[in-house]
Structures are given as structure tokens and as C-alpha cells.
Amino acid sequence: MVESRTLITRDQIAYSLDKDHPCALEIDSGTTLTVETWDARSGTIQRDEDLLDHPHPVGSNPATGPVAIRNAEPGDGLCVEILDIRLADQGFLAVKKGEGLLAHMANEYATRMVRVEGETVHFGGIRFPARPMVGVIGTAPAGAGVSTGFAGPHGGNMDNRYIAVGSRVYLPVQVSGALLALGDVHAAMGDGEITFIGLEICAEVTVKVELLKGEGTKRPLIETADFWVTTAEGEELAQTVRSAAEEMVELMQKRLGLSFEEAYMLMSAAVDVQICQCCEPGEFPVTTRAVISKEIMP
Ligand code: CA
Ligand code: CA
């Protein structure tokens, strides 16, 4: 049997994850879905002369969707497996005056269009491998909607480069239908997303969406071929690293049957805490992760 593939185009976007957004598409659990995504500026940056010196007319970080999953109810979980990320052939990098980790040095606006050929990025004459990832992915929160600039227990703008081809993103279902949306693909992004901008690019992301009935996580959790990854977000780096570690120590106790003390000790030997996004001062809060090898925690 040929598996049918469902498509959602990039004219169906939202700038927040919100239970009040009308769903753009309804699918069954098990559907393979291709999602067209805009770059973070909805295609308005096309030349080096296009600067980020004015507010975006509509908003930034559009997420395509939301997609309702039939029979999804609060307390369930979603497993979104990233099967493929097809990048456009051009994206952009940019500097915004007075923003990012080096805001004190960033005295000018600048944009560079960046060519992506196959798996290679061409930054002027400098070439390096693309590392495609999904910056924004989440479900609708039970309460007020959350801008796609922010992350939370529902997912959102996690900017976690483990959200890449081959990974499974587990998300909580907080409202009927879950209302999944994703966008903000990067052809490459260094940990920290230091200027506050990755290599922003349009893409087609193919995912398989499974409903996990009654098995919802409270927060996003990422599984790759080799790692388990917890996530956290907050205003302040140290507290956010601590939150990612708290998530991980609980997961280790549960999956490995360890006491808190045992899991805490093992963490200190085997878990990496890492920065996803840390680009203050700027518009976006800090996001972090904790990572453990499946050789230690299958
Ligand atoms: Ca982002
Ligand atoms: Ca981005």
C-alpha cells in the first residue's frame, strides 16, 4: 500500500500557539505530514540590502498550522518524528543593531543572503555543512496563547538543534486536537543563536505524527538515535540550566529505577547541560537542554 502524504502549505500560519486559532487541517494519528514553513521573516528578506531595521509588518517566527489530531485530548501526548527537512536554496543571516549577546559591539544593521546547495552552506567564500533543524514546534497551551518567539511547557521557540531529521519530539496535549504547529527552520544554528538569528530559511518538513493516548509528558522531550534530551526555558541562564537538569534527573529516576541521589551522581558523570538559545539582550528568553546517551539510559 502506498502511504498517502498530507501537505499543509505556508499560507496557513500563526504567530502564536493558541487554542483559539482555527485549525488549518485535521489529521489522524499515524499521518505522515509535509509542512511548508516560512523563514523567520516570512520571505521579506531577499537581498543584503533588506535589513532588520524596522518591525516586521506582521510578526516574526511564523509557525505553519495549527494541525488538529483527531481524538487528542488533554493528558495525551504527541510523538512528532522528523522524517525529512528540505531546505530552500537561499536563507539569510543578520545582525540587528544593539541586539544579541554582543549587543554592545553591534553598532550597525547587516544582512547576508546565504546560498545552500545540497548539504553545503556558502557564506561568501566560506563553506560549511548545513545542519537543518526546526526552531519552533509545539502544541497549543491550555491557557493564554504564547507567541512563537517564546518557549514553554507546550514547546514553541526551543531553538534546540537536536530537533533534526531522525529525532522524535514528544509534546504534551493540553487542548482537544492538540493543535500542532511548527516553523522557524534553520539551515544551521550554533548553540546560543548568538545574534538571535539562525540561518533562517524556508523549508518543507516531513513529520509523522502519532497520538500517545493517556501517555502525555508534562513538557517537551526529545529522543534521537543516540540521545535523550530534556528542555527548559526561562529569563535567566543559571536557573534555566537548573530546570533542564531537574527534568533530566526525574527522567533518569523513572527510566533507570534509581534513587534521586543515584541519578544525581550519575548525572554529574554522564549528562551534558547545554545552551540552546542565549542571545540577550534581545527579544527572546534563554532555552537550554540536558543530554544523556542512550548507551547509559536506553
Ligand atoms: Ca527561533
Ligand atoms: Ca530563528
Side-chain angles (χ1 to χ4, degrees):
M1 195 180 89
V2 178
E3 196 174 8
S4 67
R5 210 172 72 156
T6 306
L7 174 75
I8 179 165
T9 56
R10 64 173 65 88
D11 52 6
Q12 296 177 294
I13 51 173
Y15 296 90
S16 60
L17 291 156
D18 189 323
K19 63 182 184 308
D20 294 331
H21 288 321
C23 83
L25 178 72
E26 196 177 18
I27 61 169
D28 288 314
S29 175
T31 299
T32 298
L33 176 68
T34 296
V35 183
E36 280 186 4
T37 60
W38 275 116
D39 64 53
R41 287 283 170 143
S42 314
T44 57
I45 306 293
Q46 292 293 332
R47 308 167 306 153
D48 289 359
E49 291 73 27
D50 295 335
L51 303 176
L52 300 180
D53 58 349
H54 52 277
H56 187 277
V58 197
S60 54
N61 263 12
T64 305
V67 176
I69 292 80
R70 286 191 190 95
N71 303 320
E73 293 297 336
D76 296 340
L78 286 190
C79 171
V80 185
E81 184 176 0
I82 316 281
L83 300 177
D84 191 25
I85 303 176
R86 290 182 60 187
L87 301 173
D89 54 12
Q90 175 176 265
F92 68 92
L93 286 162
V95 169
K96 204 167 170 180
K97 184 176 171 180
E99 284 212 16
L101 201 59
L102 303 183
H104 57 293
M105 300 165 77
N107 298 321
E108 303 288 346
Y109 290 91
T111 296
R112 291 288 181 277
M113 300 313 295
V114 179
R115 207 153 45 82
V116 179
E117 274 181 10
E119 291 170 6
T120 305
V121 174
H122 297 257
F123 180 75
I126 300 169
R127 296 178 186 194
F128 58 95
R131 204 162 56 172
M133 56 164 280
V134 177
V136 171
I137 182 168
T139 52
V146 176
S147 154
T148 48
F150 292 85
H154 65 294
N157 190 21
M158 294 183 279
D159 282 324
N160 189 323
R161 61 182 176 78
Y162 282 79
I163 303 178
V165 171
S167 51
R168 294 192 175 113
V169 184
Y170 297 91
L171 295 166
V173 176
Q174 297 187 31
V175 303
S176 287
L179 299 184
L180 173 71
L182 64 92
D184 188 34
V185 168
H186 301 142
M189 187 197 92
D191 283 343
E193 201 182 22
I194 284 171
T195 63
F196 89 95
I197 289 233
L199 206 181
E200 308 292 340
I201 194 161
C202 292
E204 281 181 27
V205 183
T206 300
V207 296
K208 184 166 188 183
V209 184
E210 300 269 9
L211 177 63
L212 307 174
K213 209 60 200 160
E215 291 176 38
T217 53
K218 287 204 199 85
R219 292 190 43 83
L221 175 67
I222 301 158
E223 178 186 9
T224 73
D226 300 320
F227 301 101
W228 287 101
V229 183
T230 62
T231 71
E233 63 284 328
E235 290 301 315
E236 206 250 311
L237 180 59
Q239 179 55 50
T240 309
V241 169
R242 185 171 293 118
S243 299
E246 284 170 2
E247 285 293 310
M248 181 56 83
V249 83
E250 282 179 24
L251 188 68
M252 291 170 73
Q253 287 173 253
K254 202 164 90 187
R255 290 189 71 92
L256 295 171
L258 300 177
S259 69
F260 167 78
E261 290 75 17
E262 289 166 336
Y264 192 25
M265 281 183 234
L266 182 58
M267 274 185 92
S268 204
V271 170
D272 293 319
V273 289
Q274 298 171 343
I275 292 168
C276 296
Q277 177 180 270
C278 181
C279 51
E280 300 219 290
E283 297 166 43
F284 305 116
V286 177
T287 59
T288 59
R289 60 180 181 255
V291 182
I292 189 169
S293 167
K294 283 185 166 174
E295 288 181 359
I296 299 164
M297 188 174 81

